[in-house]
Amino acid sequence: SNKTNKKNELNFDFSEWINLLSTMYNSSSTAAIIICLISCYGVSAFVPNASPARIISARTDGKTQVNSALHALAPSFIIGPMIRKMKESQEKKKMPMANKEEAQFEAPGLRVGKSSWKWPPVWPYDSTTFQAMADVELSQQAEKQRALTNIASGGAIPQLSDGLAGDNDAVAENTFDPVKYWAEEKATTTTDISEDSANNLKSHYKFYLKNGMSVLELGAAEQSYLPDDLELDRHVGVSLSKAMMDKNPSLTESYIVNLNDVEEERGVKSDVLKQLGSESFDAIIMANTIDFLTNPREVLKSCWYLLKPGGTMILSFSNKAAYKSTFGKAQTKMWDRYTDDQHMWVTGSVFQFSAGDGWENLLGFDISPEGSKSVDEQGPLSFLKGGKNTNMFVVQADRAAEEESINPEDPEKSFKSKMWMLPTMESRDKILIAPRLRRAFQQIENPEYLGDHVGFLPAVYESLVKMDSFAFTFDMQAQLAANLISDSDFNANEDQIISLKQGLGLRKPSKEFWEPVGRLTSAMDAEDKINLLTYLVPRFGSGDPTNDAALDAFVSGMTPTFSYLRGRFPLFPESDIQSLG
């Protein structure tokens, strides 16, 4: 805004309004758009016969000007600072979150450095986040139909969900089939990107891919965008589009694999990937495929196994609108609803929650060619701001090497590496357990077996995840789990897991053991019960007659022992009597 000396006019550039409104939209302050427009009068913000390029002027001397334009009073002392603040906010968003030293050793376009990522302690996405839009829309249609039927019959209006209603037979029958979609419906549809975007991706690959490497490409199609002078030793392509892979001159091998067919928390369910062998590839590339993955975490788990230690996973994707008209049906809800900036952070989080610290040097790049839309220019008015949907982004990381044995100098780090790929456990649980295992390692006389016992943790946590986290906190769960696997007799056999569930109250207790134990130790506090479970559970299923006899003696000896202690220490509270007994 600018106030002239003589005419007392307020001047606005049309583009300033567009920038202001779009910024407000991006800030999720949609209401601010309406407030900005209707709270003002006296300024013709949009004059019908005015060119958008010229400065729009309106008198503010108190006289009313009647025309069909939208009037707004926009005092310079309000609008001016607002626009400046919005511009500053926009500029901050565009600033890379990586230091100069870090950028020196990486390809151009580094936007997010390895120390800039921040994550929640657990997987933050619900079951519909990565659902194909075809399924989301089908579910919404089915629920709307049910709502109309319910209203017509006099019932209440049900709340519509945002995901697939799996209990509806009609919906289940028409669930999106990625195999049919890519192999038949889109068998000959190309995934072209602009020449400038392709060249930038080639340049990025050239920085990290070297001659003689063995490379796996997920979601392979007719073009890999590799540098022209790159000579790979092996280039394996996998996807559902055989016709497209057959056209790709770079591939030395190609296989049909459905990346959306997974074993939850473990990886892609594919004999082909297993036969390729673990630690087989120097690099894995995946271009414009993340937007179609309904289980991206499992896909990256498989990638981690397939990469050699030190190998690089390079995951690239285009502007969210680039393929919407062509492949929108197969794109996930996350891709449809989130911005490109958010896509980068979600992709980074998939790396994090697939293998944790098993991925090193996690980096985010904006390699968009000149003239592309800015990452903050997305919203209902973005078409007015110019720029092409030619953006190209990359998120990549290197596979860390898992420690084969526990390093006495830094056992906690070793235990963390052994938990990278464990299913069932959240990142939070692994963080809580690592220091407890370090203490156990330092206290046990011959602790070499502890490294192998880490593999028993998922079996323990399958029970612990069902516990009420308020009554039995995450810290308590971690302590019990660490205690159990620190016992040399614990091997997570069936009897031990059943015994654990009975002791936790997750299963009907056995009349001969856990029922009397639970009744007679009801006054004990939680920490003492953890110690009790730690001692008792590993004794089950050992096949050792001495252990079986000891368990029988434990139950039969509780009542007389407690009676003796009550008489001997009459002032002790019952919780102490039971713990001591």
Side-chain angles (χ1 to χ4, degrees):
S1 65
N2 179 38
K3 195 171 187 179
T4 61
N5 293 328
K6 294 183 178 180
K7 294 185 178 180
N8 192 29
E9 293 180 337
L10 292 176
N11 300 315
F12 291 89
D13 189 328
F14 181 73
S15 63
E16 293 286 3
W17 279 96
I18 300 303
N19 283 330
L20 177 62
L21 297 184
S22 293
T23 304
M24 288 176 170
Y25 176 85
N26 286 338
S27 303
S28 299
S29 303
T30 312
I33 298 176
I34 301 171
I35 293 169
C36 178
L37 293 175
I38 69 173
S39 66
C40 314
Y41 69 91
V43 172
S44 301
F46 301 96
V47 179
N49 59 358
S51 166
R54 68 180 287 267
I55 302 287
I56 299 169
S57 301
R59 296 179 63 84
T60 58
D61 55 3
K63 295 182 181 180
T64 305
Q65 183 175 2
V66 180
N67 57 41
S68 59
L70 172 67
H71 293 292
L73 171 63
S76 60
F77 64 87
I78 294 177
I79 296 297
M82 280 180 66
I83 291 178
R84 283 195 296 273
K85 187 174 181 181
M86 294 300 182
K87 280 185 172 181
E88 290 172 2
S89 176
Q90 285 180 329
E91 290 306 315
K92 284 182 181 179
K93 287 180 183 178
K94 295 175 184 177
M95 291 175 62
M97 289 173 281
N99 58 57
K100 293 181 180 179
E101 291 76 15
E102 193 173 17
Q104 289 182 10
F105 304 101
E106 305 296 342
L110 182 62
R111 180 173 172 81
V112 185
K114 59 186 177 183
S115 61
S116 300
W117 307 91
K118 303 295 179 186
W119 318 116
V122 298
W123 178 247
Y125 310 110
D126 64 27
S127 59
T128 70
T129 302
F130 298 102
Q131 198 171 67
M133 281 305 297
D135 286 339
V136 173
E137 291 166 2
L138 180 65
S139 175
Q140 289 173 342
Q141 291 171 6
E143 291 203 21
K144 285 176 184 177
Q145 185 60 46
R146 284 200 298 272
L148 291 173
T149 303
N150 197 49
I151 294 168
S153 62
I157 302 175
Q159 184 177 359
L160 300 181
S161 72
D162 202 22
L164 184 65
D167 59 342
N168 186 289
D169 292 337
V171 172
E173 264 180 42
N174 294 285
T175 297
F176 177 71
D177 183 353
V179 177
K180 184 177 180 181
Y181 182 81
W182 294 110
E184 298 177 18
E185 188 176 338
K186 297 293 182 181
T188 59
T189 306
T190 59
T191 53
D192 303 315
I193 63 177
S194 74
E195 184 178 353
D196 290 339
S197 299
N199 288 335
N200 285 6
L201 184 56
K202 285 183 179 181
S203 296
H204 189 86
Y205 282 154
K206 187 168 186 175
F207 196 93
Y208 295 100
L209 303 181
K210 306 301 178 186
N211 291 338
M213 278 187 168
S214 178
V215 173
L216 172 66
E217 181 173 1
L218 301 185
E222 75 284 356
Q223 174 64 268
S224 295
Y225 310 108
L226 297 177
D228 297 333
D229 57 350
L230 181 65
E231 296 181 4
L232 298 176
D233 180 59
R234 186 186 186 195
H235 183 189
V236 180
V238 300
S239 78
L240 287 171
S241 184
K242 183 179 186 304
M244 291 293 102
M245 287 193 291
D246 287 345
K247 294 179 180 180
N248 191 326
S250 301
L251 300 178
T252 59
E253 307 164 48
S254 63
Y255 302 96
I256 301 299
V257 175
N258 181 7
L259 295 176
N260 285 339
D261 184 15
V262 304
E263 186 177 356
E264 189 175 358
E265 294 194 41
R266 294 186 182 276
V268 178
K269 199 185 297 181
S270 167
D271 290 336
V272 168
L273 294 185
K274 290 177 182 176
Q275 289 166 7
L276 289 175
S278 61
E279 300 186 2
S280 298
F281 296 95
D282 299 294
I284 298 179
I285 58 177
M286 184 165 70
N288 290 324
T289 301
I290 183 69
D291 43 329
F292 307 118
L293 297 182
T294 54
N295 298 278
R297 178 171 52 167
E298 281 72 12
V299 173
L300 263 66
K301 281 180 178 290
S302 290
C303 291
W304 191 90
Y305 283 118
L306 289 162
L307 275 173
K308 297 175 182 177
T312 303
M313 170 81 188
I314 303 176
L315 198 158
S316 60
F317 54 90
S318 300
N319 177 286
K320 68 172 290 182
Y323 298 116
K324 187 174 178 65
S325 60
T326 309
F327 303 118
K329 205 161 122 181
Q331 289 178 323
T332 61
K333 189 179 83 171
M334 179 277 292
W335 204 261
D336 182 76
R337 306 286 169 85
Y338 294 3
T339 66
D340 287 332
D341 224 7
Q342 290 169 326
H343 291 160
M344 180 175 288
W345 286 91
V346 171
T347 303
S349 74
V350 174
F351 274 95
Q352 167 65 22
F353 288 104
S354 64
D357 291 340
W359 294 110
E360 295 179 323
N361 303 318
L362 180 61
L363 303 170
F365 296 83
D366 183 349
I367 59 171
S368 303
E370 190 174 347
S372 301
K373 283 186 181 296
S374 174
V375 291
D376 63 324
E377 292 177 350
Q378 295 176 11
L381 300 173
S382 61
F383 67 95
L384 293 168
K385 302 178 87 172
K388 301 175 184 177
N389 291 323
T390 54
N391 303 74
M392 181 62 67
F393 306 93
V394 174
V395 179
Q396 66 184 53
D398 302 329
R399 187 205 147 155
E402 181 182 342
E403 298 190 20
E404 294 183 5
S405 59
I406 305 302
N407 179 7
E409 300 299 320
D410 192 355
E412 185 170 338
K413 181 182 176 184
S414 300
F415 284 120
K416 284 181 178 178
S417 81
K418 288 189 172 294
M419 290 189 286
W420 286 339
M421 302 301 290
L422 292 184
T424 309
M425 303 169 65
E426 297 283 2
S427 299
R428 167 203 62 219
D429 304 319
K430 297 171 183 178
I431 291 171
L432 291 171
I433 284 180
R436 290 172 166 85
L437 291 178
R438 175 192 42 123
R439 287 196 295 271
F441 183 85
Q442 293 169 340
Q443 293 169 1
I444 296 173
E445 187 173 348
N446 296 304
E448 290 76 18
Y449 65 87
L450 260 181
D452 294 331
H453 277 210
V454 171
F456 301 143
L457 283 169
V460 175
Y461 265 90
E462 284 177 5
S463 298
L464 295 181
V465 294
K466 300 172 184 175
M467 297 296 293
D468 180 352
S469 59
F470 290 99
F472 198 61
T473 66
F474 297 125
D475 279 295
M476 292 178 179
Q477 293 175 22
Q479 189 61 57
L480 176 58
N483 288 355
L484 286 173
I485 71 164
S486 296
D487 191 303
S488 59
D489 288 333
F490 185 80
N491 57 14
N493 63 56
E494 185 179 0
D495 288 340
Q496 290 175 346
I497 297 303
I498 291 174
S499 173
L500 175 63
K501 291 178 179 178
Q502 291 179 344
L504 291 171
L506 296 173
R507 187 167 176 165
K508 186 177 180 180
S510 57
K511 290 186 178 180
E512 67 279 0
F513 190 86
W514 285 109
E515 186 177 289
V517 169
R519 184 179 68 254
L520 294 170
T521 61
S522 60
M524 286 172 59
D525 61 34
E527 291 185 5
D528 285 333
K529 286 185 177 180
I530 288 174
N531 292 331
L532 183 64
L533 286 170
T534 297
Y535 175 73
L536 294 175
V537 170
R539 311 282 85 79
F540 284 85
S542 65
D544 184 351
T546 305
N547 268 340
D548 296 338
L551 289 171
D552 291 338
F554 182 87
V555 175
S556 61
M558 290 177 75
T559 298
T561 301
F562 290 177
S563 296
Y564 169 78
L565 292 174
R566 290 188 191 104
R568 184 72 177 79
F569 306 107
L571 299 180
F572 274 27
E574 183 61 19
S575 59
D576 288 352
I577 292 293
Q578 292 179 8
S579 298
L580 181 58

